[in-house]
Amino acid sequence: MNILIPISITALILIANKSKTTSKIEKVSNPNILITVGLYKSYGVSEISFEAAKDLLKYTKNIKLKIVSASDIRKGALKDINVFIAMGGSGSQQGKDLQELGRDKVKEFVKNGGGYIGVCGGSYMAITGPSEGKLNMLSAKNYGNTGWQRGNGDCEMKTNDGQIINLHYENGPIFEDTKYESASPYQSLATFNCDYYIPSKGTNKGEMLGQPAIIVGNYGKGRVLLFSPN
């Protein structure tokens, strides 16, 4: 599974706003900056996704990896990290595991300048919707809110600068604009060239094509980067 590839490490650097340096440009250009990444471990996180992300991050230069549970977060563990990552699985279960206090801690962390990367389920948690586990940080919802089961397989996407990238898709959100008090606007970084759907599950042909697959936005002083694919 191609977790957070091909732009993962660049993304981590670009949104690590809690570094001790004063300039984003300095952080990106300085190869000696150490970024502390908090990888979320929850019963709502897919074990396969979690292990793949852990293996990628723990062997990457200039990244210090910390595993953080919902309990750790409620106790203040995010104060020691630069970027928080929530991987695939059940976004609603990940959010419920945090409880209200933990969700508030994550939002406060980002508002104060932290980075948030959500992948598939971690993206569902970050956007708006009816689930009590939502963080409601970016003003996006899952397309139509009628269904999430679309299937899985290779997925081609087109970036804003015209590059074609391929990642694994597995029931990730189809980002759609919505209005939500306190949520922030977002920018699309890549759109879907693939189309998965299961009509019996409430998803239909043509809903993915041309829709945002990767989005980014500010939330307070921090940044939120969300991937629908893995």
Side-chain angles (χ1 to χ4, degrees):
M1 191 177 291
N2 296 324
I3 302 297
L4 294 178
I5 294 175
I7 55 177
S8 59
I9 305 308
T10 301
L12 287 171
I13 296 171
L14 286 172
I15 70 171
N17 293 341
K18 289 185 73 177
S19 165
K20 293 180 180 179
T21 59
T22 58
S23 165
K24 290 182 184 180
I25 301 301
E26 183 181 349
K27 288 194 286 289
V28 172
S29 62
N30 187 343
N32 297 315
I33 293 298
L34 179 67
I35 298 172
T36 303
V37 174
L39 181 62
Y40 184 34
K41 185 173 180 60
S42 161
Y43 62 82
V45 176
S46 158
E47 185 175 351
I48 293 175
S49 293
F50 175 83
E51 290 297 329
K54 184 177 73 172
D55 288 345
L56 171 69
L57 294 166
K58 72 181 179 181
Y59 295 117
T60 301
K61 184 179 179 182
N62 296 341
I63 287 179
K64 178 182 178 182
L65 177 62
K66 291 187 66 173
I67 308 302
V68 291
S69 68
S71 176
D72 294 332
I73 291 167
R74 289 193 294 272
K75 293 174 182 175
L78 297 184
K79 72 180 186 303
D80 297 321
I81 73 169
N82 302 112
V83 178
F84 176 76
I85 299 180
M87 293 300 299
S90 170
S92 61
Q93 291 302 318
Q94 291 182 39
K96 289 176 183 177
D97 193 16
L98 285 168
Q99 300 176 13
E100 184 176 1
L101 176 59
R103 293 192 295 272
D104 287 344
K105 292 282 188 181
V106 173
K107 294 170 72 172
E108 180 183 17
F109 161 76
V110 181
K111 280 184 176 180
N112 289 337
Y116 179 105
I117 294 179
V119 178
C120 196
S123 291
Y124 275 113
M125 180 168 65
I127 60 177
T128 69
S131 167
E132 67 180 75
K134 295 287 189 179
L135 296 173
N136 301 311
M137 291 192 293
L138 294 189
S139 56
K141 65 176 183 176
N142 185 36
Y143 184 89
N145 282 338
T146 58
W148 58 269
Q149 292 172 277
R150 296 181 177 275
N152 63 85
D154 292 338
C155 186
E156 182 180 279
M157 285 150 284
K158 185 176 182 180
T159 66
N160 287 358
D161 60 359
Q163 296 185 57
I164 300 298
I165 59 175
N166 286 276
L167 294 173
H168 177 76
Y169 176 82
E170 191 164 346
N171 296 313
I174 311 306
F175 301 113
E176 180 183 25
D177 288 344
T178 188
K179 298 294 184 182
Y180 191 94
E181 186 179 359
S182 79
S184 301
Y186 67 87
Q187 175 187 356
S188 173
L189 299 181
T191 55
F192 286 110
N193 279 350
C194 63
D195 195 24
Y196 286 93
Y197 52 94
I198 306 175
S200 64
K201 301 295 185 180
T203 56
N204 299 289
K205 183 177 181 179
E207 291 177 339
M208 289 178 68
L209 292 170
Q211 293 298 314
I214 304 172
I215 64 174
V216 67
N218 296 324
Y219 186 70
K221 297 177 181 178
R223 294 281 273 173
V224 178
L225 176 65
L226 304 180
F227 294 76
S228 172
N230 291 273

